[in-house]
Amino acid sequence: MEYIYQYDVAAIIIAFAVTVGFITQNNTHTKISRAFFVVSSLVLISSVSDLITIIFIKSPELIPLWFNYLLNGIYILTFNMIPGAYCGLIIIASNEFEKRGIIYKLLLSIPFAIICIFIITSPWTKLIYYFDENQIYTHGKLFNILYVNAIFYVTICFIQTSLHKEILTSDERSTFYFYLIASVIAILVQAVFQRLLIIGFITSITSLLLYLSLENPANFQDKEMGVYNRHAFFSALDNNFNKNKRFKIIGVKIIGLSYLNETIGLENNQQIIKQIGKKFVMAWNKHYVYRLSGTRVAIIIPDNENTMNHVISRIESAFSEPYKIGDIKISISCKLAYINCPDDTNETDDVMDLLDVSLREIEKESEFVIHADTKLMEKSRRENLVRNVLKSALEKKEFFVVYQPIYSLKEKRYTTAEALVRLNTEEIGFIGPDEFIPIAEQNGMILQIGEFVFKTVCEFIKKNKIWELGINHIHVNLSAIQCMQRNLYEQLLKIMDSYELDYNFINLEVTETAMIVSSDILKSNMEKLIEKGINFSLDDFGTGFSNTESLITYPFHTVKIDKTMVNDALENKKAKNILQHSIAMLKELKMEVIAEGIEKQEQIIELEQMNCDLIQGYYYSKPRKSEDFLEFIK
Ligand code: C2E
Ligand code: CA
Ligand code: CA
């Protein structure tokens, strides 16, 4: 039989190039890359041995018979391992390997094992292949079982690929589908035209495509910073956890980058990011530095205190030097959190949550580095729990609104109140707004919550005719996220219209954060609403950075002085002076002043002397449910 071997030569060249490319370029030692290495080596060995066997099948007299058996054995064995190896690769790429039990893995390996036994014993059993008495290579009775084996694994590959479409990247999917379709065609073609050695060619082309889609180093790199990316971090974590390695992760939050973006321009900013990347690479081996997001980086180091302290101090000193852009020197700082794996956690998802919580936490702290320990893990678990509970809370009607009366020192009675949202859940009971509002702001749920509160308050005002009780208006809090909505004013006016409510029954409270994140939109919303008669309060005065600036820029009617400022005034002369002059200044600006969080009578005496208008605090009343509030006012 004359074989057409040109395809095999092409297959060898391709398989060789892929294997060499993989060995020289790859440095992410993941499970998937190891599986890929198995596939590409099998492809290379089988195409080389294929070509060699063709030569010696034609001229068997050149080598001893046992050697010819051996060569053919190697070829048939490696060749028939390829579909099974692909199958394993797809299972790993679709993250199914860990999830599947031992039974599944065993069942999948059985056909493979049987085939191997048949092939290895063939020189004696003559079931798959043998050399006849004239030393002519002949297919055995069970040769076609090899095609059955290939079709079995190709089918499993197909099912696996279709079941996990969303986990695989589009490149991976196309490559796997290409492999499936092309190999079915090749198997059929080769079954009919046995001299056309085309299957090897198809498998080597597939391994090339796979190399480009799975192992393409660009998929694992963050070009901007010149380090590895999030994708590579996940792979490295999986790999370390699977091998039960002990290691540490240092998470880094880079502070000041987003601000720079706006001030020094994109190009300069990119240059700085490159420089930052270099500093991390100098602090530790570049193969273990990963950029997780715009301002977050993770570094994996061995489980060794000395190494960690060494890396941390290198990062600290690298960041203490300013960056130079032309003549400008720019300082960027960072904060760190470390995790001990597997002691603190042995799951990739938990690592990400823990990094998230700890890097947010450390930004508020004065330390440079913290241990992301069990306490923070609990915090992150609790956050996830609250996040889940929030999803169904609106539907389950678990939110409600309470009202805290506000006392007028001038009129000696309650003239207004602040509406405060409450959440009592079936699953985990009562959750305070300080806990759930930041979470609802992260996922945008705050918009629906804000709308619910606003509607509830409008209905409350209308239904109970609160003006008849001497309550002039109700204060409603707006989150910074609500203030970022261009159509906020329309939405609020529409709700008030639906209750046929006068606009001056509402006073909206915003904090400084809203001004920082949405200055222009907030201002235009404010102007449109004020024009209609809705007043605004500046909340938490005295806790931010540029209160006086906000007073000049935004048309506030009322200022609410934060409880910390009032508390400090009782204990400290300087603070008392500041409070006194702040109130005097606000009064001079013709603003209404409310002092918040008042619990003691001495505070009220002082505030009255300072000419404060209104008082809100537990001294008068805690926030009350609507019925209770109405009773209280009456
Ligand atoms: P805030 O706007 O500064 O509200 C005042 C907070 O101080 C309320 O806490 C109130 O119960 C509490 N408070 C009042 N008097 C005293 C006192 O004498 N002593 C002490 N220690 N605290 C007092 P609450 O209800 O837990 O709300 C916390 C924060 O959650 C609010 O701070 C506000 O920022 C946010 N929040 C509450 N309800 C809403 C809402 O409907 N929408 C939005 N966006 N945020 C809300
Ligand atoms: Ca408030
Ligand atoms: Ca406040």
Side-chain angles (χ1 to χ4, degrees), residues 418 477 509 511 539-541 560-563 596 616:
E418 177 174 6
N477 291 286
E509 297 192 359
T511 60
D539 204 353
D540 300 346
F541 183 84
K560 296 186 77 174
I561 297 179
D562 193 71
K563 52 178 165 281
E596 275 192 299
Q616 173 181 359

